[in-house]
Amino acid sequence: MRHVSSMSTAASGHWVGDGFPVRSLFSHMSGENSHDPFLMLDYAGPHHFEPASRPRGVDVHPHKGFETVTIVYQGEVEHGDSTGKGGVIREGDVQWMTAGDGILHKEFHSHDFTARGGPFEMVQLWVNLPARDKSAPPGYQAITDAQIPAVDLDEGAGRLRVIAGTFDGHVGPARTFTPMEVWDLRLNAGKRADLAPPDGQDVNVVVLSGAVAINDGAPITGPAVARLEGEGTFSVAAETGAKVLLLSGAPINEPVAAYGPFVMNTEAEIRHAIAEFRAGAFGSL
Ligand code: MN
């Protein structure tokens, strides 16, 4: 059976650009690669934005050596990048971007959302790439809500969307470089579910909202992350209606050297990435 080995709660919030009021639930920038293969998880919102005329967000910036996964719960994010592509990530959609060898992109509220305002809530997860894939061609998978299998859990416990990996025979649409499960769960108050991600993966139960007890332990009130050790099954029981992200992955077990939007294996590779970026090697936007 899997059991909780550590817990962390959200750090104090900060703004990413002027569009994303985030709380980091874990981050490699703390100096520890404690959630390998996952580097960082920022939970943006929930936050109410008034209607505006100019989209809020983050203007052109680089990424290299990893992937960014944007999961939109409420609101809309419009993005464009140096591969010449772009689009809108709507409620329930996921953008799985491979920065790989280097990309420039920008992330803003969509024009429609900016004009109408309203509640905004999203997660941005950073997923590391193994050394052999850090130079993968940049690009992204635009995954719509309709492409994500939504599975009803037994006994009315709630619903599970398979973004990556496999649950109960349902295969998530995201292509990943290393084995991982990314499951979006909505749990109903007073119900429980038994979960069994693949053995050999480290499991993170990210409670975004609500309160959840793992293996009948003390309830964990979101936003918070429980890290589980061991193999096999564990249970989640919702004290209240809860929104949970399960992140489970095979550790990459390589050194992490990071500087802002670059995540490599060595400091020399970081210096090289900065020099490449300054020389315009990531293209233009
Ligand atoms: Mn970015």
Side-chain angles (χ1 to χ4, degrees), residues 27-77:
S27 174
H28 63 293
M29 292 175 201
S30 69
E32 287 174 38
N33 183 28
S34 51
H35 295 71
D36 187 13
F38 307 102
L39 294 163
M40 187 195 79
L41 188 143
D42 272 356
Y43 181 34
H47 184 89
H48 186 89
F49 285 95
E50 295 298 324
S53 52
R54 185 188 59 82
R56 289 162 160 264
V58 193
D59 212 342
V60 179
H61 59 280
H63 291 288
K64 181 181 171 76
F66 64 103
E67 301 188 292
T68 67
V69 179
T70 303
I71 303 169
V72 174
Y73 294 96
Q74 300 186 83
E76 291 180 350
V77 177

Side-chain angles (χ1 to χ4, degrees), residues 61 63 105 107 124:
H61 59 280
H63 291 288
H105 79 158
E107 300 157 278
Q124 189 166 88

Side-chain angles (χ1 to χ4, degrees), residues 15 100 156 162:
W15 283 80
V162 190

Side-chain angles (χ1 to χ4, degrees), residues 159-180:
R159 220 159 165 243
L160 186 156
R161 294 198 315 149
V162 190
I163 295 169
T166 304
F167 176 80
D168 200 18
H170 300 268
V171 179
R175 295 184 309 277
T176 67
F177 285 84
T178 58
M180 72 188 68

Side-chain angles (χ1 to χ4, degrees), residues 64-267:
K64 181 181 171 76
F66 64 103
E67 301 188 292
T68 67
V69 179
T70 303
I71 303 169
V72 174
Y73 294 96
Q74 300 186 83
E76 291 180 350
V77 177
E78 195 162 343
H79 63 94
D81 67 46
S82 50
T83 70
K85 293 184 180 166
V88 177
I89 314 164
R90 296 188 165 80
E91 288 183 12
D93 295 350
V94 175
Q95 187 214 27
W96 197 293
M97 187 184 83
T98 304
D101 204 26
I103 197 167
L104 303 177
H105 79 158
K106 54 186 180 180
E107 300 157 278
F108 284 95
H109 297 178
S110 72
H111 283 80
D112 284 353
F113 178 76
T114 300
R116 71 173 182 266
F120 185 90
E121 184 181 12
M122 71 169 228
V123 157
Q124 189 166 88
L125 171 70
W126 288 16
V127 177
N128 205 3
L129 289 171
R132 66 171 180 273
D133 295 316
K134 284 190 181 291
S135 56
Y140 65 86
Q141 304 168 58
I143 299 168
T144 62
D145 185 31
Q147 294 171 312
I148 301 172
V151 185
D152 287 327
L153 297 169
D154 289 345
E155 295 171 28
R159 220 159 165 243
L160 186 156
R161 294 198 315 149
V162 190
I163 295 169
T166 304
F167 176 80
D168 200 18
H170 300 268
V171 179
R175 295 184 309 277
T176 67
F177 285 84
T178 58
M180 72 188 68
E181 314 294 311
V182 177
W183 301 344
D184 166 23
L185 293 99
R186 311 305 156 91
L187 299 170
N188 294 327
K191 301 288 187 177
R192 75 162 46 227
D194 292 322
L195 301 172
D199 286 347
Q201 297 191 355
D202 292 338
V203 174
N204 307 284
V205 177
V206 181
V207 181
L208 295 173
S209 64
V212 169
I214 296 173
N215 295 335
D216 301 315
I220 298 161
T221 301
V225 182
R227 194 157 165 78
L228 277 64
E229 283 180 354
E231 313 236 289
T233 302
F234 66 97
S235 69
V236 288
E239 308 269 315
T240 63
K243 186 182 293 174
V244 170
L245 201 52
L246 180 139
L247 308 175
S248 177
I252 293 172
N253 286 322
E254 291 178 357
V256 170
Y259 177 77
F262 309 121
V263 182
M264 306 300 291
N265 297 108
T266 68
E267 293 300 326

